[in-house]
Amino acid sequence: MMKALTLIILTFSIGVFSHATPILVTRPQLQMNLSSTLNHTQQINETTLSGNNCFYNIDVKTSCSSPAHTTDGIGISVGDADGDEIHAKLDGPYSGMFKRCTMTPFTLLGPCIGKICKMYLARVGSDGWMPETVTAYNTDDNSPVTFNFNYFIPQAQNSGFDYCHNI
């Protein structure tokens, strides 16, 4: 019951600090499932890309100082200097997706935004989690933007960086 409540709070807090936009989050499948993943992605492209949607690649490197894995719910928000933002839930509770000393790639499908210059993470759960870096690849020029965290993400709070004023 308590975990469900905290998950609801995380979802609400991510939606509150900006206009929530529905997006698709995918993780690459194992090599043996690659053809079915490509077929699924092709169907998504044909049905979802009818508007101004873009793909974003996100690489999350979990610190070696983090717990062995986390069952916490993790949310992400990326944005540009114009105030456009994309929000996503990267994993569900009990997934154990973010393991110590590993890189976890994601692909986000959402509205097209400008050069990414801000990133926030949110965490709900009791394990704790320390990302080392999170790198986002812009769709317009595919140039990576890396945010160095190296600290434990606080429980049920948005935490991150806004470098948009430097652009």
Side-chain angles (χ1 to χ4, degrees):
M1 175 68 177
M2 185 63 172
K3 287 188 182 204
L5 179 60
T6 54
L7 186 57
I8 291 169
I9 291 170
L10 171 66
T11 304
F12 177 75
S13 68
I14 289 173
V16 164
F17 84 83
S18 172
H19 302 284
T21 305
I23 62 164
L24 170 73
V25 179
T26 62
R27 286 194 61 219
Q29 300 294 321
L30 296 174
Q31 188 67 28
M32 63 185 166
N33 294 330
L34 188 56
S35 67
S36 65
T37 301
L38 291 174
N39 289 339
H40 179 67
T41 301
Q42 183 178 8
Q43 290 171 355
I44 291 170
N45 289 343
E46 293 170 1
T47 58
T48 310
L49 292 179
S50 57
N52 274 342
N53 290 310
C54 295
F55 285 100
Y56 302 90
N57 293 322
I58 308 289
D59 292 334
V60 179
K61 183 175 182 193
T62 297
S63 170
C64 293
S65 300
S66 193
H69 70 279
T70 185
T71 61
D72 296 351
I74 307 294
I76 188 171
S77 175
V78 296
D80 65 14
D82 294 327
D84 300 317
E85 295 182 346
I86 300 170
H87 307 277
K89 185 172 170 250
L90 295 181
D91 73 335
Y94 311 111
S95 73
M97 185 178 301
F98 295 107
K99 295 182 168 93
R100 179 187 310 152
C101 302
T102 61
M103 176 79 73
T104 307
F106 295 92
T107 300
L108 306 181
L109 172 63
C112 297
I113 64 174
K115 183 165 181 62
I116 295 170
C117 54
K118 61 182 164 183
M119 178 175 295
Y120 295 95
L121 297 172
R123 177 188 68 80
V124 173
S126 58
D127 293 340
W129 177 59
M130 180 188 288
E132 184 174 310
T133 59
V134 181
T135 302
Y137 296 87
N138 285 325
T139 56
D140 55 352
D141 59 7
N142 206 32
S143 62
V145 180
T146 300
F147 296 85
N148 295 305
F149 282 86
N150 281 319
Y151 63 85
F152 281 96
I153 301 300
Q155 162 71 2
Q157 295 178 18
N158 295 313
S159 182
F161 305 95
D162 183 344
Y163 297 129
C164 294
H165 61 278
N166 295 335
I167 293 179

